[in-house]
Amino acid sequence: MRTEIEKIVSLSNGDSTTELQKYLASLTDDQLITVVTNSALKGKNIGAMIKGIFKGSPPSNPEGCNRRLLLYQHCIPLCESGDLQTEVTADIIGLLMLETHNLSGPSLARLASIFVDAIKVGKMGSGKSLELFPTVLTALAACEALSYGKGELTGEEYKKQLINSLCSSRWDPQCVIHLTTMFRDVPLSPEELQFLVEKVLRMFLKLELQEIPPLVYQLLLLSAKGCKKQVLDGIINYFNEQDLRQKEELKDGEGIDLEVQSIPQDQLRHVEGTAILHIVFAIRLDHELGREFLKSFKTSYEDLCPFSIALLLSVARIQRYEEQVFDLLKGAITKSFKDEHLQQGSKFLQDVLPQHCSVARMILDTVKNSVFGWDHVTQGLVQLGFFLMDTFGPRPGPFGKTSEGSTTIAKTPTQQACRLGGQVLLEGFKMHEPIRGEILEQVLNRLVTKTASPVNHFIDLFSDIVVSAPMILLESSSKVTETFDHLSFLPLATVQGLLKAVQPLLKVSMSLKDALILVLRKAMFSSQLDGRKSAVTGFLLLLKNFKVLGSLASSQCSQAISSSQIQVDVHSRYNSAANEAFCLEILSSLRRCLSQQADVRLMLYEGFHDVLRRNSQLASSIMQTLLSQLRRYYEPEQDLLPPVKLEPCITGHGDQVYLQEPLAHLVSCTAHCLLWLHSMRRSSRPNAYESDDEDEQDEEEGGYQSELHAILESFTKRMIKSEPEDFELDKSAEFSMASSVGVKNSIYAVLVMGLYEVLIEYNFIKANYSKTCFEEVMGLFNHYHKVSEIIKEKSGKSRVSSKTPRSLLSMGFVSTLLTVLFRDSTQSREEALSVLRSSGEFLRYSVSVALQKIQHLEETGHTDGPDGHSTDKTFRFLCDMTSVLMWRYTNIPSVVEEAGRKEKRSSLSHLCLEGLLKIFTTCLHRYPDRMAQLLSAMDISEEDSEPDRGSVTEITFFYIRQFQRALFTQLSGGEEDFNSKEAQLLVSILSVLARRLEPSSQQFVQMITWTVKICKETSFEDVAFSKGLLSLLFSLHILYKSPVSLLLELCQDIHSQLGDIDQDVEVEKQSHFAIVNMKTATSTALLVLCQADRVLDEVDWLIAKKKSQLAFDKSSAGEASQTGQQDPVEKAVTLQLGILLTALNELVQTALLPGTCTDTLLRELSRTYTILTTLVKYYIQLCTGHQGVLPARFEKLVKLSGSHLTPQCYSFITYVQNGGLNGADDKKNKKKRDEANIAASAKLLRETKAIPNLIFSIEQYEKYLIALSKKSKVNLMQYMKLSTSRDFRINAATLEAALQEQDDSQQTTVSQEPEETQEPKKKRKKQ
């Protein structure tokens, strides 16, 4: 055998080809094959031998040709067998490739079919010989003619048949990657490429997971030839399906406690990560691929999935795509939230379209998935998080003020997008160590730099980070320390939030605490007032949170801020001793504030009470400080009145007078601290053996305690004796804010009223239901009332609305006071309480203060005084108040309080109702999850059955019935007994409570039925009440079903009440809703138009959805229209518009009053035609792709618009122009001539905008109808009537009358047409 090999090689090296040919001819095929095989296996001389065979087998000779084919036929399986060394295989294939073009056509065809057959049966496992296939196909395509079956084909056609056959056959999964690689070198037509890509994408599901990334890589290389979108979509869809399968398996696994996973999660995530890297790499090299990738998401966000979002975020690292990607994601997120918002608010939309996919959920899934080593995605996630928080964060209010909103509940799409940014960053921080430093740095930078806009969202994020990973934060404590350096320059709200957030770290990091104290000390001497306030905030926070040994347990404190991950023994000997020295040092720093501005002192007084409750061991220092401060303003001479020196409480600067000492707050702080210490001592006394310690403690503390009690006693007695004149506040005093005397008196009045309130609370709590003490309380209140009346009277005269100063009573006390006044039936307290109950003014005052406190809670989220910042306690006070106010309203009928109404002010029942409304709104805003708890806390009158304490809906509906009963009682009387304000409040309460009902529940349906019944049966001519009731009806109806039929009935009622624009036409009298009458019709029309606008919004949204679907899925839309079965969404849209057009047709014929109503109607008509045009454009788009039949319903809609609505619109325009003229004449008679002209011009200008807009919309609609008629071969214009001529015209009769009037009065008149008025006026001015 060796001799044969050597012979072939030596002959091939020689010059004589003839000898070589003869020798090869002498060998049989089997011998030749054996020689080649042995040579290949040994790897020696194989190249030289193959060259020799080619040399001795000339392609022109049939024998040579056959020998060459034999060599190819044998070498291909040999290379695939895997028995040869890699280098040998490469050599063989290389030599075969060089000679392929010399093969004859039939040989090439035979060779190609060998490859195809081998692929079909799966013999191309290693794929090494596949490198030869592209060369064979290229050579084949160059052949002129090849026999195929009984006929002939060109080489190109033959190649197409082969590729078609290959892509249609079954591929062995092992050879998919090799085949994809191989096809990169095959010249393919676009159709062939598409066929191939589809085949490869179908093969994804049959491959092992680890084989996917190399296949993705090869597919991306193949996409250089074309089909880029198809390749990307296929890869993304594959991974999306895998993710969904994984989710389903996890769900099922949880249900049956089995972990059956067809694909391990971590393996799938790693494969996805690798695929993302490949795609991003390909996009870097091929920008066309990048453009195609982004284009596919620009039209609709519904194609997004966690994998594609991860891919987008990775692509964002390429600079040229960064902006585009974030804009795309921003658009997708806002659109997703807006769509969700729109769908949640409309039952009609929920029924028509299924719930859409949430982009926010996908983004959070991407964050979770990124934990599997997706480092290339995490950077994009950080950018996205900050991008969302910066773009959608809260904006500064007017004059740079920040509106204090609830940060926890995100309601609007903007707030939801901002919250999503925070969630992405927080989850990212928890999961990925490398990005923690950057997140922290960027959050802190924004806190420092964004001083002009609110940063609550960043503070919340920082706080969450501290709580979730405090120890990690300590590693970056230097960044926090750097932020402290800027404290004195930051807004106070930011400082408060930041210090509260960082507080858990201060307990474990001495260096951080020391750095903060240094900064706060410097801030104490800051030239900026805010800087000093920040210092006070910081020091108070430290005092609250560093306990001294012996202080009460934190369970007795109102606001425990702790972190589950920090366990520090703050009660250990060392800590408490160090803490005591530390706290006393801070207190001495804070004493300096007592000589600063009122704002700084105020913060101190408001904070001391909380400090005392947390750190009771500091009582002595705090009380001594308060006592020494109080002595400055206290008049020790018992016989002198008044007992306070008000002069030192104010200070002057130039002409201005300022408050220097918030005296009432100082006394309030002192009283609250004293009462708390007193109650603590009482609660710790029960054990007799402790009494000795207590006596010693009394002796130690007795000094300041007894003195302070004495001062407050003396205050009370002397303040009762003092008259307003003693404070220079008699009825002749000036209270104008324009003069310094007036300002001084106003400050005195506020201080005195505050003092009275503080003393009322102090004496009430100390009284322990003693009659004499309660008489003192009444004495204090009477004086408070006198001062209050003087101020009211003065502000009434000066026409300056004086806002009642914020009450100094604490929320807890107000809650107790109301309960005692209205609900306490204890026999022993009856006599004492009758003193307070006998005063109607005191009862009104108590409820008014409660209202003020609830209002303050809703606006800011907290209230003044003790426990004001504790959400749980504040909520408990709210529950108590609700119970009392509800009892008072339901048990004492308002008829009893007729006297109140004669005095032209709200009755007590009315105030209670107002309080209930405010409580329910506050609860929905601040405690949305605790509404059921609030309602459960309410007591019900004895005759009512107890509500089923089941679902929120059941509890809420029980109370809704109470208020329905009250409203029914109001309505069942005559119109003269009807209390409009009370009825409006009841409707508002029902609106608030109805929001808590589940729209699918039986109770919700009952609520709607009741509201419809009331609207149909009530005929009171009260505009405000009817607006409230109809608004309630609409808000309920939209969650139950579409309100268009309701709108139609209301429009018929309005037409019937106001009459027709043509005075000769008598309108058929019909009344569906009695609430619509002559007086309420106009306001009802505005409400109806507002609802019509909402219906148009929904229709517009649905058409947009259908359009985007059409762009993606033309085939299904075509089939639907060809079969004549209308798509459900199209059907719903057509029906909605049909009923709405009928309703507007009624309104257009109604003699509406000129002004807002007619303007709004013109705008709505214009919008209706615009949306009809959009629908027509949609059908044009539908007919362009597929010659389909227009649905019959749509033709009816066009007929309705053309034959009914459009002609009436033109009549209405003429009516509006005439009405405008009359309106101007009326005004002219009432006012001066120039005023009349200005008013008329403004009116005309307003109308000239609305009218041409409407005409333009109608004409645009008709223009596109003509286009649709041509496309669909249906004559839609047969329903359209010729529009009124709108050209310039002179009405001779009008002109003559106008000229006659001008001669008579020598005054300019307002003409009918704008063209006729404006020009002459201008000319006259020029002359």
Side-chain angles (χ1 to χ4, degrees):
M1 188 63 68
R2 185 180 297 167
T3 55
E4 289 160 355
I5 295 169
E6 286 167 1
K7 182 96 182 260
I8 293 171
V9 172
S10 65
L11 283 171
S12 109
N13 291 337
D15 297 330
S16 172
T17 316
T18 321
E19 282 184 39
L20 180 59
Q21 286 178 3
K22 281 179 186 173
Y23 181 71
L24 287 172
S26 68
L27 292 172
T28 63
D29 288 356
D30 290 343
Q31 284 173 323
L32 188 64
I33 286 168
T34 313
V35 168
V36 172
T37 308
N38 287 340
S39 175
L41 288 169
K42 288 175 184 172
K44 289 178 183 177
N45 296 331
I46 181 68
M49 196 183 76
I50 287 176
K51 278 180 191 171
I53 295 172
F54 279 135
K55 196 174 179 183
S57 313
S60 52
N61 182 339
E63 276 185 28
C65 207
N66 290 336
R67 199 175 300 121
R68 283 180 173 235
L69 182 59
L70 179 72
L71 183 63
Y72 274 90
Q73 282 176 324
H74 177 61
C75 283
I76 290 167
L78 188 62
C79 290
E80 280 300 320
S81 66
D83 298 334
L84 309 185
Q85 294 171 14
T86 316
E87 298 81 12
V88 174
T89 309
D91 283 349
I92 294 172
I93 296 295
L95 289 166
L96 294 179
M97 281 168 85
L98 286 171
E99 291 294 330
T100 307
H101 65 281
N102 289 325
L103 288 172
S104 64
S107 301
L108 286 168
R110 177 84 192 99
L111 205 52
S113 61
I114 289 171
F115 270 107
V116 172
D117 293 341
I119 291 165
K120 284 180 179 176
V121 295
K123 285 184 182 171
M124 286 287 169
S126 72
K128 286 174 183 171
S129 60
L130 275 175
E131 290 175 38
L132 185 59
F133 194 30
T135 321
V136 173
L137 288 174
T138 311
L140 198 60
C143 295
E144 286 181 12
L146 291 162
S147 60
Y148 183 78
K150 288 179 181 175
E152 277 191 350
L153 285 177
T154 63
E156 190 61 49
E157 282 299 320
Y158 194 87
K159 186 195 82 171
K160 271 189 185 172
Q161 292 294 338
L162 276 174
I163 290 172
N164 194 5
S165 159
L166 188 58
C167 292
S168 309
S169 62
R170 185 182 285 114
W171 289 4
D172 188 307
Q174 284 182 323
C175 66
V176 177
I177 295 170
H178 305 307
L179 284 167
T180 313
T181 314
M182 179 272 292
F183 272 114
R184 279 169 44 204
D185 300 324
V186 178
L188 296 167
S189 68
E191 296 78 24
E192 289 168 346
L193 182 63
Q194 190 175 346
F195 197 30
L196 171 67
V197 167
E198 282 171 8
K199 172 69 180 172
V200 176
L201 290 172
R202 283 200 301 275
M203 291 304 296
F204 266 54
L205 294 166
K206 295 177 182 170
L207 291 181
E208 288 293 315
L209 201 57
Q210 60 270 25
E211 289 177 2
I212 296 293
L215 181 55
V216 165
Y217 180 70
Q218 293 303 332
L219 254 182
L220 290 166
L221 292 174
L222 184 66
S223 74
K225 289 172 176 283
C227 287
K228 294 177 173 25
K229 185 179 187 311
Q230 204 176 347
V231 167
L232 288 169
D233 287 353
I235 295 168
I236 290 167
N237 289 340
Y238 167 75
F239 283 116
N240 189 25
E241 280 167 25
Q242 298 306 310
D243 282 346
L244 293 172
R245 260 177 66 194
Q246 184 90 49
K247 258 189 182 170
E248 288 303 316
E249 283 173 7
L250 280 173
K251 264 190 205 166
D252 299 344
E254 282 168 16
I256 54 174
D257 295 331
L258 282 174
E259 288 196 19
V260 186
Q261 287 191 333
S262 54
I263 306 168
Q265 190 181 12
D266 56 344
Q267 194 183 341
L268 175 63
R269 297 288 170 252
H270 287 305
V271 166
E272 284 178 342
T274 316
I276 289 172
L277 279 175
H278 285 324
I279 298 171
V280 174
F281 181 67
I283 287 175
R284 272 182 200 278
L285 298 176
D286 181 358
H287 292 308
E288 189 54 48
L289 187 68
R291 274 196 293 275
E292 203 60 58
F293 171 60
L294 292 178
K295 201 195 292 176
S296 58
F297 296 113
K298 274 180 183 166
T299 42
S300 167
Y301 67 84
E302 285 171 10
D303 292 347
L304 285 172
C305 60
F307 178 78
S308 59
I309 288 171
L311 186 49
L312 278 167
L313 292 171
S314 291
V315 170
R317 294 176 74 190
I318 305 169
Q319 197 174 357
R320 69 184 292 168
Y321 297 119
E322 184 179 347
E323 197 177 328
Q324 291 179 59
V325 167
F326 286 120
D327 283 347
L328 195 148
L329 285 171
K330 170 187 161 186
I333 289 163
T334 45
K335 200 162 185 321
S336 168
F337 280 132
K338 279 177 184 169
D339 288 357
E340 201 176 323
H341 202 249
L342 199 62
Q343 263 190 296
Q344 280 172 355
S346 165
K347 184 75 169 74
F348 165 67
L349 290 183
Q350 288 166 21
D351 292 344
V352 172
L353 275 187
Q355 206 64 31
H356 77 298
C357 51
S358 163
V359 176
R361 173 63 26 232
M362 291 176 198
I363 289 174
L364 292 172
D365 282 347
T366 306
V367 180
K368 277 184 202 153
N369 297 346
S370 69
V371 78
F372 295 96
W374 291 7
D375 295 342
H376 44 284
V377 177
T378 49
Q379 193 54 46
L381 284 169
V382 173
Q383 274 179 279
L384 177 67
F386 282 112
F387 177 75
L388 291 175
M389 289 187 85
D390 290 336
T391 314
F392 299 110
R395 294 272 169 266
F399 310 111
K401 287 183 180 176
T402 61
S403 54
E404 284 191 83
S406 171
T407 49
T408 45
I409 313 129
K411 290 178 181 172
T412 64
T414 311
Q415 289 171 332
Q416 286 173 311
C418 177
R419 188 183 61 178
L420 174 65
Q423 286 172 314
V424 166
L425 290 170
L426 180 62
E427 292 303 315
F429 187 91
K430 288 179 186 172
M431 288 178 185
H432 301 286
E433 195 179 336
I435 57 172
R436 282 174 186 158
E438 189 188 344
I439 292 178
L440 187 61
E441 193 172 339
Q442 288 210 43
V443 169
L444 293 173
N445 284 349
R446 279 165 170 77
L447 292 182
V448 172
T449 54
K450 286 182 175 282
T451 49
S453 52
V455 285
N456 321 4
H457 51 311
F458 287 113
I459 287 173
D460 290 343
L461 173 61
F462 181 60
S463 180
D464 290 339
I465 288 173
V466 172
V467 171
S468 65
M471 288 311 177
I472 295 165
L473 231 79
L474 287 179
E475 293 165 18
S476 312
S477 60
S478 59
K479 285 176 184 156
V480 182
T481 313
E482 277 173 41
T483 312
F484 286 164
D485 294 339
H486 301 277
L487 275 189
S488 55
F489 308 106
L490 296 180
L492 186 62
T494 307
V495 175
Q496 288 173 329
L498 179 64
L499 292 179
K500 201 170 176 182
V502 90
Q503 183 268 322
L505 300 178
L506 300 176
K507 289 187 175 179
V508 284
S509 170
M510 291 297 285
S511 60
L512 211 57
K513 185 174 80 175
D514 294 344
L516 177 61
I517 290 169
L518 270 175
V519 169
L520 292 177
R521 276 186 187 149
K522 282 183 199 166
M524 192 63 96
F525 298 97
S526 165
S527 57
Q528 300 294 321
L529 178 63
D530 260 12
R532 298 197 294 282
K533 285 164 101 175
S534 299
V536 174
T537 304
F539 279 140
L540 286 171
L541 196 79
L542 289 170
L543 284 176
K544 282 180 209 169
N545 292 296
F546 284 89
K547 284 196 168 309
V548 179
L549 188 71
S551 291
L552 294 156
S554 63
S555 60
Q556 289 174 317
C557 304
S558 58
Q559 264 184 307
I561 306 173
S562 64
S563 168
S564 56
Q565 295 177 33
I566 295 183
Q567 296 296 325
V568 180
D569 182 11
V570 290
H571 294 291
S572 68
R573 277 278 164 199
Y574 166 74
N575 266 344
S576 53
N579 282 351
E580 183 163 18
F582 166 66
C583 291
L584 292 171
E585 187 188 341
I586 290 177
L587 272 174
S588 67
S589 292
L590 284 174
R591 282 195 191 101
R592 293 196 191 102
C593 298
L594 295 173
S595 58
Q596 294 190 6
Q597 282 96 330
D599 284 0
V600 183
R601 300 184 192 191
L602 188 60
M603 290 189 76
L604 202 58
Y605 299 150
E606 286 180 342
F608 265 161
H609 182 264
D610 273 349
V611 170
L612 183 66
R613 295 178 73 161
R614 298 292 192 93
N615 250 335
S616 52
Q617 287 301 93
L618 299 175
S620 177
S621 302
I622 290 175
M623 298 312 285
Q624 292 289 1
T625 306
L626 289 171
L627 177 59
S628 64
Q629 187 70 0
L630 197 56
R631 281 181 186 144
R632 295 184 189 181
Y633 309 99
Y634 173 63
E635 181 57 71
E637 280 297 327
Q638 295 298 315
D639 300 335
L640 285 179
L641 292 180
V644 285
K645 304 168 189 169
L646 291 182
E647 283 289 333
C649 291
I650 56 169
T651 180
H653 183 73
D655 299 342
Q656 302 291 316
V657 176
Y658 301 108
L659 174 68
Q660 178 72 19
E661 175 66 66
L663 182 62
H665 286 84
L666 169 62
V667 178
S668 169
C669 175
T670 313
H672 281 305
C673 291
L674 259 183
L675 289 168
W676 185 78
L677 285 169
H678 188 64
S679 65
M680 281 304 105
R681 183 163 324 149
R682 270 215 315 247
S683 62
S684 60
R685 258 187 188 163
N687 301 329
Y689 62 82
E690 284 183 10
S691 61
D692 297 340
D693 298 340
E694 284 296 331
D695 292 339
E696 285 170 28
Q697 194 180 347
D698 278 348
E699 282 170 27
E700 281 175 31
E701 297 177 359
Y704 67 79
Q705 289 230 21
S706 53
E707 187 173 348
L708 280 169
H709 275 303
I711 287 176
L712 288 170
E713 285 296 323
S714 167
F715 255 145
T716 304
K717 288 189 167 54
R718 289 196 278 164
M719 286 293 278
I720 292 170
K721 290 176 190 168
S722 304
E723 290 297 325
E725 289 77 6
D726 297 328
F727 302 104
E728 302 171 23
L729 297 174
D730 58 356
K731 290 190 177 178
S732 58
E734 187 189 346
F735 288 96
S736 153
M737 298 310 276
S739 70
S740 56
V741 177
V743 172
K744 183 191 84 168
N745 286 341
S746 299
I747 293 173
Y748 278 4
V750 171
L751 287 177
V752 169
M753 285 164 74
L755 278 173
Y756 278 126
E757 285 192 309
V758 173
L759 293 171
I760 286 171
E761 181 167 347
Y762 171 75
N763 283 289
F764 183 96
I765 294 169
K766 241 182 97 254
N768 200 10
Y769 300 97
S770 126
K771 188 179 179 184
T772 24
C773 291
F774 277 2
E775 280 165 355
E776 283 183 358
V777 168
M778 276 316 297
L780 289 166
F781 171 71
N782 291 333
H783 283 76
Y784 167 87
H785 188 59
K786 271 185 202 170
V787 179
S788 158
E789 286 300 306
I790 290 172
I791 292 177
K792 270 186 197 163
E793 191 183 322
K794 289 287 178 181
S795 63
K797 283 179 187 171
S798 63
R799 294 184 183 177
V800 176
S801 63
S802 87
K803 205 177 174 187
T804 318
R806 200 185 290 165
S807 169
L808 287 188
L809 301 183
S810 66
M811 180 98 164
F813 172 66
V814 174
S815 159
T816 312
L817 184 62
L818 287 179
T819 313
V820 164
L821 287 176
F822 295 125
R823 298 298 308 268
D824 198 328
S825 52
T826 316
Q827 198 64 45
S828 56
R829 299 175 181 174
E830 191 71 39
E831 192 185 355
L833 286 172
S834 64
V835 175
L836 303 180
R837 288 172 180 166
S838 60
S839 163
E841 283 302 338
F842 187 67
L843 296 177
R844 285 177 58 79
Y845 162 74
S846 311
V847 181
S848 307
V849 172
L851 257 66
Q852 192 193 78
K853 293 286 167 194
I854 298 159
Q855 182 74 33
H856 187 226
L857 176 65
E858 187 187 2
E859 286 167 7
T860 60
H862 55 81
T863 58
D864 305 327
D867 298 324
H869 286 263
S870 161
T871 45
D872 288 338
K873 289 198 175 176
T874 319
F875 181 73
R876 203 177 69 229
F877 298 148
L878 266 189
C879 291
D880 295 344
M881 285 187 198
T882 315
S883 167
V884 175
L885 295 176
M886 185 71 184
W887 182 89
R888 173 67 181 70
Y889 178 73
T890 47
N891 284 278
I892 298 175
S894 49
V895 185
V896 179
E897 299 168 347
E898 281 304 302
R901 200 188 296 179
K902 284 171 194 161
E903 291 170 31
K904 289 189 180 175
R905 49 182 191 170
S906 309
S907 67
L908 204 54
S909 283
H910 186 272
L911 282 176
C912 289
L913 208 52
E914 210 175 312
L916 286 169
L917 174 60
K918 280 200 167 111
I919 289 173
F920 293 144
T921 350
T922 306
C923 188
L924 269 182
H925 183 194
R926 297 280 166 187
Y927 314 96
D929 303 330
R930 298 171 78 172
M931 190 71 171
Q933 196 181 329
L934 178 88
L935 293 171
S936 306
M938 283 159 61
D939 292 340
I940 310 103
S941 49
E942 290 153 29
E943 69 269 12
D944 287 327
S945 59
E946 209 39 40
D948 178 14
R949 301 285 180 210
S951 68
V952 182
T953 296
E954 285 165 359
I955 297 170
T956 310
F957 190 63
F958 179 85
Y959 290 100
I960 283 177
R961 283 214 308 276
Q962 307 280 315
F963 292 111
Q964 282 177 343
R965 213 169 291 163
L967 182 59
F968 193 73
T969 311
Q970 274 286 340
L971 297 174
S972 51
E975 193 154 352
E976 61 284 352
D977 298 331
F978 176 65
N979 183 338
S980 174
K981 282 185 180 176
E982 193 171 320
Q984 285 170 50
L985 280 174
L986 284 166
V987 169
S988 302
I989 288 175
L990 287 170
S991 302
V992 173
L993 290 179
R995 283 185 226 161
R996 304 302 295 167
L997 293 177
E998 188 57 49
S1000 56
S1001 65
Q1002 190 57 43
Q1003 288 88 338
F1004 190 82
V1005 179
Q1006 285 173 356
M1007 176 79 192
I1008 287 190
T1009 316
W1010 181 84
T1011 314
V1012 170
K1013 183 172 181 283
I1014 292 289
C1015 289
K1016 287 193 170 182
E1017 293 172 3
T1018 307
S1019 57
F1020 291 169
E1021 293 187 346
D1022 189 295
V1023 177
F1025 172 67
S1026 79
K1027 276 171 83 171
L1029 197 57
L1030 284 170
S1031 299
L1032 169 64
L1033 178 62
F1034 286 136
S1035 67
L1036 293 170
H1037 212 283
I1038 202 151
L1039 293 171
Y1040 177 59
K1041 65 177 183 185
S1042 172
V1044 279
S1045 48
L1046 183 70
L1047 296 181
L1048 175 58
E1049 290 183 352
L1050 284 165
C1051 289
Q1052 288 169 345
D1053 288 356
I1054 294 165
H1055 191 187
S1056 170
Q1057 289 293 334
L1058 293 178
D1060 201 274
I1061 51 175
D1062 184 349
Q1063 292 172 2
D1064 302 335
V1065 174
E1066 194 169 325
V1067 186
E1068 181 194 341
K1069 285 285 173 196
Q1070 50 184 343
S1071 177
H1072 301 93
F1073 292 93
I1075 195 114
V1076 182
N1077 47 52
M1078 277 301 287
K1079 200 170 179 186
T1080 61
T1082 309
S1083 63
T1084 306
L1086 282 168
L1087 274 176
V1088 164
L1089 288 170
C1090 182
Q1091 283 304 311
D1093 197 49
R1094 190 167 175 174
V1095 171
L1096 289 174
D1097 279 341
E1098 292 176 2
V1099 168
D1100 198 17
W1101 184 76
L1102 282 173
I1103 298 172
K1105 284 272 170 204
K1106 285 303 293 175
K1107 273 190 166 179
S1108 65
Q1109 260 181 31
L1110 196 62
F1112 282 101
D1113 188 18
K1114 287 189 174 176
S1115 57
S1116 62
E1119 284 159 23
S1121 48
Q1122 277 167 351
T1123 52
Q1125 292 175 348
Q1126 200 178 1
D1127 176 274
V1129 176
E1130 289 175 30
K1131 180 181 170 184
V1133 164
T1134 317
L1135 287 172
Q1136 288 285 91
L1137 283 173
I1139 302 171
L1140 192 61
L1141 287 185
T1142 317
L1144 289 173
N1145 187 41
E1146 288 283 342
L1147 272 189
V1148 163
Q1149 297 174 63
T1150 307
L1152 294 167
L1153 291 173
T1156 322
C1157 216
T1158 50
D1159 286 349
T1160 313
L1161 179 53
L1162 286 168
R1163 277 200 303 276
E1164 283 313 307
L1165 286 167
S1166 181
R1167 182 142 193 251
T1168 307
Y1169 278 107
T1170 309
I1171 283 167
L1172 281 170
T1173 311
T1174 314
L1175 185 61
V1176 170
K1177 284 179 183 173
Y1178 165 73
Y1179 278 111
I1180 291 174
Q1181 205 178 335
L1182 202 63
C1183 291
T1184 307
H1186 313 272
Q1187 197 60 44
V1189 182
L1190 287 177
R1193 275 196 186 86
F1194 176 70
E1195 286 191 44
K1196 279 183 188 169
L1197 181 68
V1198 173
K1199 183 178 180 182
L1200 182 66
S1201 67
S1203 56
H1204 287 66
L1205 189 59
T1206 309
Q1208 295 298 346
C1209 282
Y1210 285 117
S1211 310
F1212 185 68
I1213 289 170
T1214 312
Y1215 163 77
V1216 168
Q1217 287 173 332
N1218 292 337
L1221 179 70
N1222 300 339
D1225 279 341
D1226 293 343
K1227 284 182 182 173
K1228 187 185 70 182
N1229 296 334
K1230 288 176 190 171
K1231 298 180 182 180
K1232 291 178 185 175
R1233 187 179 64 207
D1234 56 345
E1235 283 179 353
N1237 285 340
I1238 292 165
S1241 304
K1243 193 168 185 58
L1244 281 169
L1245 192 69
R1246 198 165 62 240
E1247 285 170 6
T1248 49
K1249 280 180 187 170
I1251 293 169
N1253 284 349
L1254 173 56
I1255 293 162
F1256 175 74
S1257 302
I1258 294 173
E1259 288 171 357
Q1260 282 292 99
Y1261 171 54
E1262 290 174 0
K1263 171 186 158 185
Y1264 282 101
L1265 269 180
I1266 295 169
L1268 180 59
S1269 299
K1270 287 176 184 171
K1271 288 273 183 200
S1272 63
K1273 307 288 187 287
V1274 177
N1275 180 16
L1276 296 168
M1277 291 308 290
Q1278 63 182 334
Y1279 308 119
M1280 297 291 135
K1281 293 188 178 173
L1282 192 64
S1283 59
T1284 310
S1285 170
R1286 306 289 318 155
D1287 57 357
F1288 179 83
R1289 65 192 187 281
I1290 295 174
N1291 187 325
T1294 312
L1295 183 64
E1296 201 173 318
L1299 288 169
Q1300 184 65 44
E1301 196 173 325
Q1302 187 179 2
D1303 291 339
D1304 294 346
S1305 61
Q1306 291 299 307
Q1307 288 181 356
T1308 56
T1309 57
V1310 179
S1311 182
Q1312 182 178 348
E1313 294 289 279
E1315 292 93 343
E1316 293 169 24
T1317 49
Q1318 300 296 74
E1319 209 50 45
K1321 264 193 202 172
K1322 284 181 184 170
K1323 285 177 186 168
R1324 199 164 288 131
K1325 280 178 189 169
K1326 282 175 190 170
Q1327 288 165 2

